[in-house]
Each structure stands twice: as C-alpha cells, then as structure tokens.
Amino acid sequence: MKRCILVIDMLRDFLEPGAPLEVPKARDIVPKLKKLLEEARRAKIPIVYVCDSHREFDWEFSIWPKHCVEGTRGSEVVDELKPERGDIIVRKRRYSGFYGTDLEMVLRELGIEEVIVTGILTNICVLFTAADAFMRGFKVVVVRDCTASTSSELHEAALKIMEVALKARIVTSEELIKELTSRS
Ligand code: ZN
C-alpha cells in the first residue's frame, strides 16, 4: 500500500517560545518527528508538509491571534524539521489541509492510499485533516508521539475520536519506524 507522511503546522509561530500561538508541547515531539522523517526519507516514503499560510486579512484572525502570515518568518517550518529536496509543501488557510488546497490532487497523483498524520494540534488541524482524508477514502494512521496539543486531555480525546470515527490506526513512532524499515 502506498503511503505518505503529512507534517502539519510545525511552524515557527506555533513552536517558538513567545510565538503568537505558542504550543509548548509541540516542541516535545520535534526529536521523534525528526527521526521519523529521516527514516521515511530513507524508505522513500513521500513527505508532505501541510502549512498554515494566512492572508493579512484572513477571517481566522477574528478568532485567533494573527499567525503564520504568508511570506513571514513565522510561517516557516522550524529549522529542525526543514523540508528537504523532493518533499512537498501544501499551504492551507483553514484547519483542514484539504480545504481550498491541492492536497487531494497531490495525494492522487502520488497514488497514495494511506496517510500517516503527524504535527499539531491533535484536536484541530490534525483532526480535521485526518477527517477529510478519511472522507476521501484514504486510510489514516496517526502517530501518537509525533502529534501534540495544548493539553494531554485534548490530545488523547482527539486520538480517541480518530480511532473510533475514522478507524484510524494510532501508533507510536517506534512501531511505525519498524514497519517502514521492515517493508523496504
Ligand atoms: Zn491558522
């Protein structure tokens, strides 16, 4: 089965201390996610970065502080997880990576059947992107220790919802790396 990894919103405006929408727990997942991406590149699994990228006047700023404005430093992926040659970047303006973007076309063109979801926030952009992937017929895997939220309650609740409603497979990065490396 052809699969890819989605890396959602691992951006400066969410991760850096003092950032407009700082999610401190997001920093905790960086080392494991970095390792997972290294293994995925080695196993030739496509990596798709799904990144918040707002217009100056974005409607979302009526409910959230201004963040990830297109072209700004804050909208960049953090240094430790920088996209590499061959990785794909899809920019989004809403919670779901599919809404108003070409993510579905990208996945279809790559022949993807299963998406492995990582990044933040488990209960917002991860959840809504996973839901939209499910509704388009993709199988969903969520990496428990490569996703994070503002609290562990919200993180766990979202994982549960994805497991129950989207039939998502919830795995650890260690389990997943074993799978990726044994298949290739
Ligand atoms: Zn946003």
Side-chain angles (χ1 to χ4, degrees):
M1 178 160 36
K2 182 126 193 232
R3 39 200 355 214
C4 74
I5 297 191
L6 301 184
V7 182
I8 300 177
D9 284 347
M10 294 301 281
L11 310 172
R12 293 186 197 280
D13 273 355
F14 296 116
L15 269 82
E16 288 185 346
L21 271 180
E22 185 189 352
V23 182
K25 284 176 186 294
R27 291 194 287 272
D28 300 343
I29 65 171
V30 169
K32 288 199 167 160
L33 181 51
K34 186 175 161 65
K35 175 149 198 323
L36 174 62
L37 296 182
E38 283 163 7
E39 296 290 348
R41 287 192 184 100
R42 209 164 294 151
K44 303 271 185 272
I45 310 272
I47 297 171
V48 182
Y49 287 80
V50 179
C51 302
D52 233 13
S53 181
H54 291 295
R55 307 266 184 198
E56 279 284 344
F57 52 80
D58 209 300
W59 164 85
E60 223 187 75
F61 300 150
S62 61
I63 52 168
W64 297 107
K66 206 168 188 180
H67 61 279
C68 301
V69 174
E70 57 184 354
T72 63
R73 190 177 174 278
S75 69
E76 294 170 4
V77 174
V78 293
D79 286 339
E80 301 93 314
L81 304 172
K82 275 271 172 271
E84 291 184 9
R85 217 189 143 95
D87 294 344
I88 296 158
I89 299 176
V90 171
R91 297 181 207 285
K92 68 178 176 62
R93 290 177 57 196
R94 293 293 179 263
Y95 299 161
S96 167
F98 289 92
Y99 191 87
T101 74
D102 71 345
L103 179 57
E104 181 171 6
M105 281 168 69
V106 167
L107 299 182
R108 302 276 182 224
E109 282 162 350
L110 293 171
I112 301 298
E113 296 162 87
E114 181 177 80
V115 292
I116 298 163
V117 189
T118 69
I120 58 167
L121 295 177
T122 324
N123 58 307
I124 305 184
C125 293
V126 168
L127 173 63
F128 287 96
T129 301
D132 272 353
F134 167 83
M135 288 184 222
R136 285 164 171 77
F138 296 102
K139 289 196 165 64
V140 177
V141 176
V142 185
V143 189
R144 169 185 290 284
D145 54 350
C146 290
T147 46
S149 187
T150 46
S151 75
S152 49
E153 285 84 358
L154 285 171
H155 175 67
E156 290 299 330
L159 290 178
K160 197 75 202 162
I161 289 169
M162 291 187 276
E163 185 175 31
V164 172
L166 312 180
K167 305 301 170 201
R169 207 152 54 86
I170 313 295
V171 299
T172 64
S173 58
E174 200 178 327
E175 289 165 349
L176 185 61
I177 287 170
K178 248 180 230 158
E179 249 179 67
L180 299 184
T181 48
S182 68
R183 280 186 195 185
S184 55

